[in-house]
Amino acid sequence: DDYNHAVSRAYEPGPLAARVRLLRGWDKSGEDKSRSYDEYWTSRARDVRVHEVQGDHGQMLSEPEVRLTAEVVNSILSEGAA
C-alpha cells in the first residue's frame, strides 16, 4: 500500500520519556565501535546514561566479563528502586 508506506516513512516520533540505560562494550585494544548507538539514543530519549562494560557484545555476556556486566545491571536496577 503506497499510502501506508509513505506515512510510515514520514513518521518521526518525539523523544522517549522513559529512562534509557545503555551498556556499551569496549575491548582491551580501546577500540570503540558503538559511539553511533550513543548518538542514536541521546537524540531519541531525554534521560540516557551510558555504562561502559568490558568486552564486545558477545564477550560481555560470557565469563569472566559477565560478572562485571551483572554488577553494572544490578547497580542500574538499584538506582531504579531508590
Side-chain angles (χ1 to χ4, degrees), residues 49-79:
R49 292 189 191 158
V50 178
H51 301 269
E52 292 189 355
V53 294
Q54 189 168 338
D56 64 21
H57 184 78
Q59 293 168 337
M60 72 172 73
L61 297 176
S62 300
E63 290 289 350
E65 284 82 2
V66 70
R67 294 172 195 257
L68 300 172
T69 302
E71 287 177 16
V72 172
V73 170
N74 284 331
S75 75
I76 293 168
L77 293 173
S78 296
E79 169 189 301

Side-chain angles (χ1 to χ4, degrees), residues 1 3 7-8 10-11 13 16 19 21 23-24 26 36-37 43-44 54 59-62 67 69 72 75-76 81-82:
D1 208 44
Y3 175 76
V7 169
S8 67
Y11 175 70
L16 183 65
R19 297 184 317 179
R21 301 302 178 252
L23 300 181
R24 182 175 62 206
W26 59 274
S36 61
Y37 290 115
S43 70
R44 286 164 175 78
Q54 189 168 338
Q59 293 168 337
M60 72 172 73
L61 297 176
S62 300
R67 294 172 195 257
T69 302
V72 172
S75 75
I76 293 168

Side-chain angles (χ1 to χ4, degrees), residues 22-58:
L22 178 63
L23 300 181
R24 182 175 62 206
W26 59 274
D27 62 22
K28 293 176 184 168
S29 71
E31 184 178 0
D32 184 1
K33 300 176 183 175
S34 60
R35 291 276 176 207
S36 61
Y37 290 115
D38 296 1
E39 294 168 8
Y40 173 86
W41 282 110
T42 55
S43 70
R44 286 164 175 78
R46 294 183 183 135
D47 183 10
V48 178
R49 292 189 191 158
V50 178
H51 301 269
E52 292 189 355
V53 294
Q54 189 168 338
D56 64 21
H57 184 78

